[in-house]
Amino acid sequence: MGILVSIFVGAVAGWLADLVFKRFSFSIWIQILLGIAGGFVGNWLLGNDLQQIFGLSELPARILTSFLGALVILGIVALVKSRQQT
């Protein structure tokens, strides 16, 4: 059951991050992978801090942490792409 929850969290977080970075337009599979990778990055950066600070339940805290991690990944990709174009 944990894998299904991770896929769901990854899909939601990747979709939200793709909405923020409109210049990237990824397929749903890339969005899911981005969200899952964002979960690892977000967990590495924040741990369970969002859940404890804001008093969120586990699922919203995981989605928010994965979303922030996905934003970090997309920000790094945007920086690398902009440097390659100049």
Side-chain angles (χ1 to χ4, degrees):
M1 193 60 127
I3 291 175
L4 292 176
V5 171
S6 294
I7 291 172
F8 172 75
V9 167
V12 172
W15 174 72
L16 289 172
D18 194 42
L19 288 177
V20 171
F21 278 86
K22 292 184 190 239
R23 68 180 180 172
F24 300 116
S25 183
F26 296 121
S27 69
I28 188 67
W29 300 110
I30 300 298
Q31 289 177 1
I32 291 171
L33 292 175
L34 174 66
I36 292 171
F40 288 113
V41 171
N43 194 29
W44 177 68
L45 291 173
L46 300 169
N48 289 330
D49 290 344
L50 292 179
Q51 187 174 4
Q52 294 172 355
I53 292 172
F54 296 117
L56 298 171
S57 62
E58 183 180 0
L59 187 61
R62 284 180 66 184
I63 291 173
L64 186 57
T65 300
S66 297
F67 168 68
L68 293 174
L71 285 181
V72 168
I73 291 171
L74 285 178
I76 291 169
V77 168
L79 282 173
V80 169
K81 278 192 161 194
S82 69
R83 290 199 179 236
Q84 287 179 350
Q85 291 177 354
T86 53

